[in-house]
Amino acid sequence: MPATKFDKESIKNTIVGKVQRYNGLTIEEASPHQIYKAVASTVRDQIMHKMIESREVWKKQKGKSLYYLSVEFLMGRSMYCNMLNLLSTKEYTEALEELGIDIKDVLKEEPEPGLGNGGLGRLAACFLDSLSCLDLPAMGCTIRYEYGLFRQKIVDGQQVEMPDSWLDNGNVWETAMMEDACEVHFGGHVDEIEINGRQKFVTRDYYTVEAVPYDMPVVGYDATIVNPLRMWSARSPKKLDLNRFGEGRYAQASEEIELAEAISKVLYPEDRHYEGKMLRLKQHYFFTSASLQYILKDYKKRFGNDMSKLPEKVVIHINDTHPGMAIPELMRLLIDEEGLGWDEASAIVQKTIAYTNHTILAEALEKWPVGMVQQLLPRCYQIICEMNRRLCERLWNCFPGDWDRIARMAIISYDNVHMANMCVAMSYSVNGVSKLHGEILKEETFHDFNLVMPEKFSAITNGITHRRWLMSCNPELTDLICESIGTGWIKEPQRLSELRPFADDAAFREKFGKIKQHNKERLAEMLKERQGAVIDPSFIYDVQAKRLHEYKRQMLNALHILVLYNRIVNDEHFTMEPRVFIFGAKASPGYYRAKQIIRMICALSELIDKHPRARKMLKVVFLENYDVSSAEVLIPAAEVSEQLSTASKEASGTGNMKFMMNGAVTIGTLDGANVEISEQVGMDNIYIFGMRADTVRDMYRENNYNPMNIFETNQEIRLAMTQMIDGTLMPNNPAALQDLYHSLLLGSWGSMGDSYFVLKDFGSYSMAQRRLNNDYANRDKWLKMAVTNTAMSGVFSSDRTIHEYNDQIWHLEPLRKPEPQKEAADAPKKEKAKPVRLKSGK
Ligand SMILES: *Cc1c(COP(=O)(O)O)cnc(C)c1O
């Protein structure tokens, strides 16, 4: 076996050699981007060595594999985490240093693949990291969007969207896998024919889109395995029509090609909201069908044609309902292509597919108009109808005559295909993403299904990879932890709890505090450099960073800041611990109210800056273009983590876990994983406020909440809200925030105003903030809380999450490292010393 760990000298030689061969330049002449490419391709070589080893073991072991289908994978940059997982950060940093290059300048050159909106896509990325670390064989499957999530600029206090063309300079990490390209068919009509007395269904007059996979390797920390993220790209099978081209009909000549290729052109920027758009359905089916065709092809290659063993060798996990077409598509492939009967196929599907639900928000539950499915996927539509017929038959036996209930549970009702119902009915496992969310799924969202098939339901709390979200983004804190409790926690993150006694160690606390201060300074520099914002690193850093959505209640935070401003301005004796409120949030381009909230935050920032006394204690900054890379600087610097969702609405949250792990103290509601964070750290180390989930549910049921009562009785709220529309906040355009103002007070058509209870929870939030402010003044007390948060964050490592998925749902065998043969075991050591000769890319 060749050594896979490069030493410093061979790294240096390789980089210099690559710059020479690729660019014909010396290292001194090369641009930062050219150097980035040379370094990245060196790291890649190292990964490829590992991948070959890992595939050999995988082939021999013949175990079960996981296919994790997700329409989003928010990977973030790869280079540093790859170095970290290869245990080579030190070697690379030093090698570059000796070449006169600062590694930070190289890392900055990597474009971030923004192939996700937020939490759901980032979860998929954390899962891949943990799967590789735990040596579990898996493939991530998604779409290779040419344009990821838009880049956000703030212009005149408002969000402006710009395209994110992340592939402009190529993607060093991917490899096109042409031999696995396949066809995906759309449209046409289904004919029933008889062959040898057997009824068969064939689709005719369909159109074809070619699916080309690109694989990105995901290395595990100090692990054997390298798992691929497979990204499908859409291509037209038609070549440019040269006749039309010759006739000067350029547009027509390329029209069909463009239509096919539109499928993987751009990521939909809606988070927790779906629209019944045809192109989106095409995207979902495109990557699902391509993935399933590949899965079956590979299964047959490894295990032969007996499909009955599929559930023993393959598990297909669908991340939310977006890849839910995997269900009829697998049925179709088994019946039409493999010749199985309905019952046989259906039994296999129901043992192979597992589903995770991510939200209970009604606007996020996918439903597709029947006509659209029928037109685009005629054979799948037939299969969906038959699944629905059989489901309703079964339900009729359980609930005779209960039409309302059956309509709620049906796959097809009121001319829509209900994806969540299909996923629950046809998969063997349905899980929520936190304890609370799991309970809500069983008691509310899927209450009826839970009566019929309770064995399917479970809850597995989300997690984050501590490699990226602690070791890579907060190296100083990582070193301090290793100095204090050793390195065992890296492989067993729950052992971070060994840090807990250090909360009472004054010397440790000081070190912890100093590191936080460094990270605060680092963030201040980034904000200065990127957007010219100047913040004082002695202020409390209070951060709310997540997608902009009414249920996440950035509005509650903003309104409270305005109230603080009024206290300062109207009472010359009022003081508080100086605090900078930092927001990071993209709003979906079509979500008007979310964009208005960004406007309000930017207006607040200006208002405060204009007031000489207010700006000594208060500051608001809107961080532009919140993405994984900026999160990696922002989160280690945070002291307060704002997790304000209306209880029951945030299924889990993962941002909350990242902040906690980096020693920020949470102010939040008992929602999603906040509940479990509060259990871990104890009520003394978190600021909990607001209504509980069950109270929120009762409020909706009773439907008698009137925010106007609060507006009329609470003077601070009334003043702040009035300033939204009287020209105080918006001197140049006093009417601009009118819709926001009204949304907090007035309902329409029987629904209430303030449907996320901003005003209702305000008082409780404001009191929690007051306690937080007072506690911060006591530095010892605060640092104790901060240390405790880091110490108790180990359970929120995605390693724990993946262990639970594997024990309860997937049942994969870890890839066993090859037995080191005695003679061979010494060989790599010798080999290690000499520079590794690598073939150049060409
Ligand atoms: C973790 C993460 C999220 C999810 O944050 P929540 O607070 O859980 O909504 C969104 N965006 C990015 C870039 C993240 O890293």
Side-chain angles (χ1 to χ4, degrees):
M1 286 279 150
T4 51
K5 191 162 190 266
F6 288 11
D7 60 58
K8 192 175 68 186
E9 283 309 314
S10 59
I11 289 173
K12 263 166 63 179
N13 292 339
T14 314
I15 293 170
V16 172
K18 281 177 193 279
V19 170
Q20 230 168 56
R21 284 198 303 278
Y22 295 167
N23 310 108
L25 297 173
T26 66
I27 205 86
E28 290 77 19
E29 294 168 313
S31 73
H33 196 76
Q34 288 166 330
I35 293 171
Y36 156 71
K37 285 209 159 167
V39 177
S41 106
T42 308
V43 175
R44 207 183 99 119
D45 292 339
Q46 212 175 327
I47 296 172
M48 291 303 157
H49 270 293
K50 264 185 112 86
M51 198 157 86
I52 292 163
E53 288 174 18
S54 136
R55 205 167 33 233
E56 286 307 309
V57 186
W58 182 72
K59 276 185 192 157
K60 284 200 195 102
Q61 202 161 308
K62 288 189 169 288
K64 189 176 188 182
S65 298
L66 164 69
Y67 298 87
Y68 193 85
L69 271 56
S70 177
V71 76
E72 302 184 5
F73 274 85
L74 189 49
M75 300 294 284
R77 289 175 175 150
S78 293
M79 189 145 80
Y80 194 74
C81 281
N82 280 342
M83 290 175 181
L84 183 81
N85 286 347
L86 293 165
L87 312 179
S88 303
T89 48
K90 191 162 161 279
E91 283 79 2
Y92 277 95
T93 309
E94 289 175 3
L96 286 166
E97 207 171 271
E98 288 179 20
L99 294 173
I101 299 161
D102 185 344
I103 189 169
K104 289 198 194 79
D105 296 331
V106 180
L107 298 173
K108 274 197 300 212
E109 289 297 316
E110 178 171 1
E112 171 174 333
L115 309 189
N117 274 286
L120 175 138
R122 185 52 233 173
L123 185 78
C126 284
F127 277 14
L128 273 192
D129 182 85
S130 286
L131 281 160
S132 292
C133 286
L134 301 175
D135 273 324
L136 298 172
M139 176 186 266
C141 300
T142 190
I143 299 171
R144 183 173 173 272
Y145 302 103
E146 206 175 306
Y147 295 88
L149 184 61
F150 65 87
R151 295 179 51 76
Q152 178 194 54
K153 295 281 289 171
I154 301 295
V155 178
D156 296 333
Q158 287 184 261
Q159 168 175 297
V160 175
E161 302 92 22
M162 320 238 277
D164 163 51
S165 51
W166 69 290
L167 285 169
D168 276 356
N169 291 308
N171 175 11
V172 193
W173 306 106
E174 70 185 11
T175 314
M177 308 293 279
M178 296 312 297
E179 65 280 12
D180 288 338
C182 63
E183 288 186 356
V184 177
H185 297 168
F186 294 99
H189 54 90
V190 181
D191 281 350
E192 214 178 312
I193 55 170
E194 234 184 71
I195 298 178
N196 304 330
R198 253 191 81 120
Q199 183 192 32
K200 276 205 67 154
F201 296 90
V202 288
T203 307
R204 302 194 201 278
D205 301 329
Y206 54 78
Y207 61 95
T208 299
V209 175
E210 208 181 338
V212 179
Y214 291 74
D215 284 4
M216 275 216 337
V218 180
V219 206
Y221 182 86
D222 193 17
T224 311
I225 218 169
V226 179
N227 282 317
L229 168 61
R230 175 153 285 193
M231 304 178 292
W232 293 97
S233 184
R235 218 168 61 164
S236 170
K238 297 227 167 80
K239 301 291 159 258
L240 202 61
D241 186 337
L242 286 177
N243 288 330
R244 286 186 197 166
F245 201 75
E247 290 161 22
R249 287 147 68 191
Y250 303 121
Q252 264 175 310
S254 57
E255 205 169 39
E256 284 182 57
I257 295 176
E258 275 171 28
L259 229 52
E261 296 181 354
I263 292 178
S264 57
K265 190 64 79 183
V266 57
L267 167 77
Y268 274 93
E270 274 100 39
D271 189 57
R272 290 179 179 79
H273 185 85
Y274 99 101
E275 274 176 282
K277 289 268 170 65
M278 181 78 102
L279 182 59
R280 190 159 191 174
L281 181 57
K282 280 188 194 169
Q283 289 188 331
H284 292 180
Y285 181 72
F286 165 75
F287 95 98
T288 304
S289 172
S291 302
L292 279 167
Q293 290 181 54
Y294 169 74
I295 293 167
L296 291 194
K297 183 175 103 174
D298 194 60
Y299 168 83
K300 287 202 280 188
K301 201 163 84 190
R302 298 176 70 205
F303 304 107
N305 290 344
D306 178 6
M307 287 292 144
S308 69
K309 297 284 190 296
L310 189 76
E312 287 170 34
K313 297 298 179 189
V314 165
V315 51
I316 298 166
H317 202 102
I318 54 179
N319 195 26
D320 214 316
T321 57
H322 316 131
M325 286 298 167
I327 291 165
E329 178 67 1
L330 184 54
M331 290 292 289
R332 184 186 74 80
L333 291 168
L334 292 175
I335 296 171
D336 295 355
E337 306 290 329
E338 305 300 329
L340 269 57
W342 180 280
D343 292 330
E344 233 180 325
S346 163
I348 292 172
V349 169
Q350 292 182 64
K351 281 187 262 176
T352 308
I353 294 184
Y355 154 61
T356 299
N357 173 282
H358 282 270
T359 178
I360 59 161
L361 298 183
E363 65 270 30
L365 291 180
E366 273 190 305
K367 48 184 205 280
W368 297 107
V370 157
M372 195 184 280
V373 180
Q374 194 170 14
Q375 186 196 333
L376 195 68
L377 312 167
R379 179 59 180 141
C380 281
Y381 180 68
Q382 280 188 337
I383 291 168
I384 293 169
C385 287
E386 181 60 15
M387 289 191 304
N388 181 55
R389 194 187 63 75
R390 288 170 184 240
L391 172 66
C392 290
E393 206 168 78
R394 180 173 168 198
L395 295 176
W396 180 255
N397 289 327
C398 298
F399 310 111
D402 196 345
W403 286 112
D404 282 348
R405 194 196 302 256
I406 293 171
R408 277 202 303 275
M409 300 173 76
I411 298 173
I412 301 175
S413 61
Y414 306 105
D415 277 335
N416 279 298
V417 175
H418 293 261
M419 296 299 285
N421 287 352
M422 180 163 82
C423 292
V424 174
M426 295 298 292
S427 59
Y428 71 91
S429 164
V430 179
N431 77 285
V433 289
S434 70
K435 282 185 197 159
L436 176 63
H437 174 59
E439 283 308 307
I440 293 173
L441 286 187
K442 284 200 286 190
E443 278 164 24
E444 322 236 327
T445 319
F446 299 130
H447 170 263
D448 298 319
F449 279 107
N450 188 46
L451 297 176
V452 186
M453 35 191 96
E455 71 289 346
K456 287 188 184 182
F457 291 90
S458 67
I460 301 181
T461 304
N462 280 169
I464 54 167
T465 166
H466 59 286
R467 266 95 37 190
R468 183 179 290 267
W469 295 111
L470 179 55
M471 297 170 69
S472 157
C473 73
N474 202 342
E476 282 189 61
L477 182 54
T478 304
D479 287 346
L480 176 63
I481 297 170
C482 290
E483 264 168 43
S484 312
I485 62 169
T487 54
W489 63 276
I490 295 175
K491 285 285 172 122
E492 295 167 80
Q494 312 224 19
R495 286 178 58 191
L496 268 178
S497 63
E498 290 164 20
L499 211 56
R500 188 148 202 187
F502 287 86
D504 297 316
D505 175 337
F508 179 89
R509 284 199 306 265
E510 263 330 293
K511 288 185 198 160
F512 193 97
K514 213 174 235 157
I515 291 167
K516 182 62 80 181
Q517 197 56 37
H518 283 168
N519 290 333
K520 287 170 72 175
E521 284 157 16
R522 182 168 65 139
L523 174 61
E525 281 164 28
M526 182 183 88
L527 287 168
K528 178 95 187 297
E529 188 186 303
R530 278 186 25 170
Q531 56 187 81
V534 178
I535 60 175
D536 183 339
S538 73
F539 278 32
I540 307 176
Y541 280 23
D542 180 312
V543 182
Q544 187 172 19
K546 47 184 76 256
R547 281 302 288 262
L548 216 141
H549 203 293
E550 286 165 279
Y551 87 83
K552 290 177 182 282
R553 295 200 294 193
Q554 281 93 352
M555 191 63 207
L556 179 57
N557 193 347
L559 207 57
H560 176 253
I561 297 168
L562 189 47
V563 166
L564 288 177
Y565 170 84
N566 288 329
R567 285 178 194 163
I568 296 170
V569 171
N570 298 331
D571 174 0
E572 57 182 309
H573 301 297
F574 179 87
T575 61
M576 54 178 272
E577 293 294 315
R579 193 164 357 165
V580 52
F581 291 90
I582 304 167
F583 291 84
K586 288 180 185 175
S588 172
Y591 188 174
Y592 175 72
R593 216 167 259 172
K595 289 181 142 182
Q596 292 297 89
I597 294 172
I598 292 180
R599 265 186 111 168
M600 165 139 175
I601 293 166
C602 294
L604 257 178
S605 175
E606 280 199 28
L607 177 71
I608 292 165
D609 281 348
K610 278 189 297 204
H611 196 280
R613 209 159 57 79
R615 67 171 176 245
K616 289 212 175 73
M617 288 175 256
L618 255 191
K619 172 96 188 161
V620 172
V621 174
F622 194 95
L623 178 146
E624 276 174 311
N625 199 46
Y626 180 58
D627 59 2
V628 173
S629 305
S630 49
E632 285 167 330
V633 182
L634 179 64
I635 291 170
E639 296 171 288
V640 179
S641 160
E642 301 266 356
Q643 306 298 336
L644 314 181
S645 57
T646 309
S648 78
K649 301 282 181 188
E650 188 76 275
S652 163
T654 49
N656 47 4
M657 301 167 185
K658 299 169 198 164
F659 283 101
M660 170 203 199
M661 195 172 269
N662 285 277
V665 181
T666 304
I667 180 165
T669 50
L670 279 181
D671 197 17
N674 297 353
V675 178
E676 290 154 78
I677 291 176
S678 75
E679 287 168 4
Q680 283 298 314
V681 298
M683 283 300 183
D684 291 344
N685 297 295
I686 190 168
Y687 298 93
I688 293 295
F689 73 92
M691 288 191 290
R692 310 291 192 255
D694 49 355
T695 315
V696 169
R697 182 197 55 203
D698 295 343
M699 296 278 291
Y700 282 122
R701 286 204 182 139
E702 285 155 24
N703 194 28
N704 58 4
Y705 167 53
N706 187 354
M708 196 59 91
N709 294 337
I710 299 173
F711 178 84
E712 278 164 1
T713 51
N714 184 320
Q715 295 196 29
E716 286 195 312
I717 288 182
R718 193 167 65 243
L719 172 59
M721 285 189 56
T722 306
Q723 290 167 329
M724 287 170 71
I725 53 166
D726 71 359
T728 310
L729 259 185
M730 289 290 191
N732 300 324
N733 190 357
L737 299 178
Q738 226 157 38
D739 170 78
L740 268 190
Y741 172 90
H742 286 303
S743 75
L744 292 176
L745 292 179
L746 309 169
S748 59
W749 302 107
S751 72
M752 50 201 183
D754 189 20
S755 34
Y756 297 96
F757 304 112
V758 171
L759 303 195
K760 180 80 186 163
D761 275 346
F762 186 89
S764 168
Y765 178 60
S766 169
M767 305 248 277
Q769 286 286 16
R770 217 185 280 253
R771 283 193 288 132
L772 187 157
N773 175 74
N774 296 339
D775 290 346
Y776 191 88
N778 181 345
R779 183 169 163 86
D780 276 342
K781 177 173 181 165
W782 185 265
L783 283 174
K784 267 185 210 177
M785 295 175 66
V787 173
T788 306
N789 270 271
T790 299
M792 302 317 289
S793 67
V795 280
F796 299 108
S797 166
S798 44
D799 290 6
R800 187 268 313 146
T801 313
I802 290 298
H803 273 303
E804 289 183 15
Y805 273 87
N806 199 37
D807 291 345
Q808 297 174 35
I809 303 174
W810 302 330
H811 312 299
L812 308 166
E813 285 277 345
L815 220 61
R816 285 180 300 273
K817 297 192 189 217
E819 290 292 323
Q821 293 134 354
K822 268 283 163 266
E823 324 81 296
D826 292 335
K829 275 191 195 139
K830 281 185 212 143
E831 227 173 287
K832 226 174 177 176
K834 64 181 182 198
V836 182
R837 283 267 141 255
L838 292 162
K839 286 189 211 142
S840 79
K842 299 273 154 179

